[in-house]
Amino acid sequence: MEILWVLMALAMFSLVLLPVLMRRRAGIQQVAPGDPDAADPANYGFLRQEELDIRMPGPDHDLLDVLDLVQRTQDYRSASQLLAGTEVEGERRWQRVQAFAGAASLELQQRPGGVSETPGGQWLRVWRAEKPKDAGSAAVHAEFLVQQAWRTSTPGTDEFRIIMEEARAACDEAALLSPGDPVPYIIELSVARGLAYPQPEFEKLWLKILDRAPSHMGAHLAALHYWCEKWHGSREVAYSFAETAAARAPQGSLLAAMPLFAVFEHLPEVNLVRSFYQSEVVTKAVHGALFAVHAARPDDPMLAHVRHLLVFFLVRSERWSEAMNQLVHVDGHVGALPWTLTADPAADYAIYRALAVAGYEANGGSPATLSH
């Protein structure tokens, strides 16, 4: 028993000591803010932490302008017009549906309403009531219900199941209103995960998406969650799904980055092995994502998602220069994995950014040597 306690104490000591040893080995020393040797992210044109936008992974000025207008006026019409003019099969429509639904859900959380107060997200309810045949409003409503289920209830409870069943019906309605649109089925992927669809039923749903948008990155990421070990698959199944998607990716597709997302979904909760992020599986996935980023269109809506995850892995791998090269492309918007999994996405992102800057400068880098 005494040996067990000693081993536990050593493990806890390693958790505390390991980050310190890593910083020393990388040549990074913590100094007080304002110290002449302190690395300053502002020297690279990076925004202050409080200025970072947590709503989106990257810029979508039309969406942000409409979101601001809708939330300020509580008038849905500009949102309806924006979705009506957005390509049905593309990644951007899926991101915009998520953004509108998320905005309504957060409004409702902040202003649940009462005797003398209108509940938040009222514009979405009015939109659905006044435009019942609007495919955009139907999709946003379905995604809103999904986000409400995950945000306000616990999987496995009756409350969660009731909201998810309502979301499932809303997905069916949205699909009928826009037959060639993959978005309602992509939304249902989250329902399938929450309600534990049997694998044959999930695969039938997945085929409907492949028929409409076979290279849709957002759809693949949503499906990956179902196949993960913590839900209804395993590490091996999730890796196989991601690697198959990468192997079949057309030229210029970001699907080549899927293995990196699979690795992220299966990171160990406690990692005492410093070399894990230099391991073959991580290195191979990082290289695949770097290749995908290099080959992708500069205006690909999913590009920022991949860059943000690369920042996480490149910093953990102490590949400071490569991390900085990703940061210059995404800084300003942090609404992406892995930051959105934390209570304060901007703060978490800022920590990794500061580590990248410090590591870059400790190895001879400077604003003058960083290419934009």
Side-chain angles (χ1 to χ4, degrees):
M1 187 67 180
E2 291 181 0
I3 293 176
L4 179 61
W5 282 109
V6 170
L7 291 174
M8 290 176 64
L10 287 172
M12 294 301 295
F13 180 72
S14 298
L15 285 172
V16 175
L17 184 61
L18 187 60
V20 176
L21 293 176
M22 287 178 65
R23 284 195 297 271
R24 287 182 178 176
R25 184 170 178 178
I28 304 173
Q29 300 294 327
Q30 288 187 329
V31 296
D35 188 286
D37 294 327
D40 187 357
N43 292 337
Y44 297 84
F46 295 150
L47 295 183
R48 296 168 61 88
Q49 179 179 322
E50 57 270 23
E51 297 173 328
L52 296 170
D53 192 326
I54 66 173
R55 296 174 294 178
M56 296 290 295
D60 183 345
H61 300 298
D62 290 339
L63 171 62
L64 294 178
D65 289 345
V66 169
L67 265 178
D68 290 339
L69 179 62
V70 168
Q71 293 187 304
R72 187 174 67 253
T73 65
Q74 291 294 296
D75 187 333
Y76 68 83
R77 286 176 295 181
S78 58
S80 178
Q81 292 169 0
L82 183 65
L83 284 183
T86 305
E87 181 188 8
V88 169
E89 296 86 0
E91 304 279 358
R92 199 172 297 281
R93 181 178 176 83
W94 167 229
Q95 290 192 0
R96 288 174 172 177
V97 166
Q98 286 184 297
F100 285 128
S105 181
L106 286 173
E107 278 187 37
L108 183 59
Q109 182 181 28
Q110 294 164 359
R111 300 196 313 278
V115 177
S116 59
E117 182 184 40
T118 301
Q122 181 68 16
W123 53 269
L124 178 55
R125 286 182 284 275
V126 173
W127 188 4
R128 287 297 295 133
E130 294 186 355
K131 298 281 188 178
K133 301 301 182 182
D134 185 334
S137 74
V140 173
H141 178 240
E143 174 65 15
F144 168 81
L145 291 171
V146 167
Q147 293 194 26
Q148 281 294 101
W150 291 110
R151 182 174 283 123
T152 65
S153 54
T154 303
T157 63
D158 288 343
E159 181 185 9
F160 181 84
R161 181 183 56 78
I162 289 169
I163 300 174
M164 278 298 190
E165 289 289 359
E166 187 180 355
R168 186 179 193 172
C171 289
D172 290 342
E173 183 178 357
L176 288 173
L177 291 172
S178 185
D181 188 350
V183 168
Y185 300 105
I186 298 173
I187 297 170
E188 193 179 347
L189 290 174
S190 188
V191 176
R193 177 164 55 97
L195 295 181
Y197 281 20
Q199 289 189 8
E201 186 177 355
F202 182 87
E203 289 169 351
K204 183 178 178 181
L205 171 63
W206 181 239
L207 286 175
K208 292 179 181 179
I209 295 170
L210 293 182
D211 285 343
R212 291 161 175 79
S215 299
H216 200 289
M217 179 75 170
H220 279 79
L221 291 176
L224 177 65
H225 291 154
Y226 177 92
W227 294 118
C228 283
E229 188 174 58
K230 59 188 174 186
W231 288 105
H232 310 297
S234 66
R235 180 191 302 267
E236 292 73 24
V237 171
Y239 277 24
S240 176
F241 175 80
E243 289 165 1
T244 299
R248 295 177 178 173
Q251 180 67 30
S253 170
L254 286 165
L255 287 176
M258 283 296 299
L260 188 65
F261 286 87
V263 170
F264 177 75
E265 292 292 339
H266 294 88
L267 288 177
E269 291 186 10
V270 177
N271 175 40
L272 300 180
V273 182
R274 179 180 176 273
S275 61
F276 172 79
Y277 289 93
Q278 288 88 28
S279 66
E280 182 180 355
V281 65
V282 173
T283 300
K284 182 180 177 181
V286 167
H287 287 169
L290 287 170
F291 169 81
V293 164
H294 179 74
R297 300 190 328 269
D299 62 344
D300 191 314
M302 295 301 294
L303 186 54
H305 285 274
V306 181
R307 290 190 186 279
H308 277 289
L309 197 61
L310 274 170
V311 169
F312 172 86
F313 277 99
L314 291 170
V315 168
R316 289 293 187 98
S317 303
E318 300 179 18
R319 295 166 65 167
W320 312 116
S321 179
E322 291 169 292
M324 292 293 288
N325 286 332
Q326 300 305 318
L327 283 167
V328 298
H329 290 287
V330 298
D331 193 73
H333 297 83
V334 296
L337 289 175
W339 329 120
T340 50
L341 297 179
T342 66
D344 191 342
D348 201 49
Y349 167 84
I351 289 171
Y352 276 78
R353 185 179 64 182
L355 285 170
V357 170
Y360 182 64
E361 294 188 355
N363 287 275
S366 71
T369 61
L370 182 63
S371 60
H372 286 69

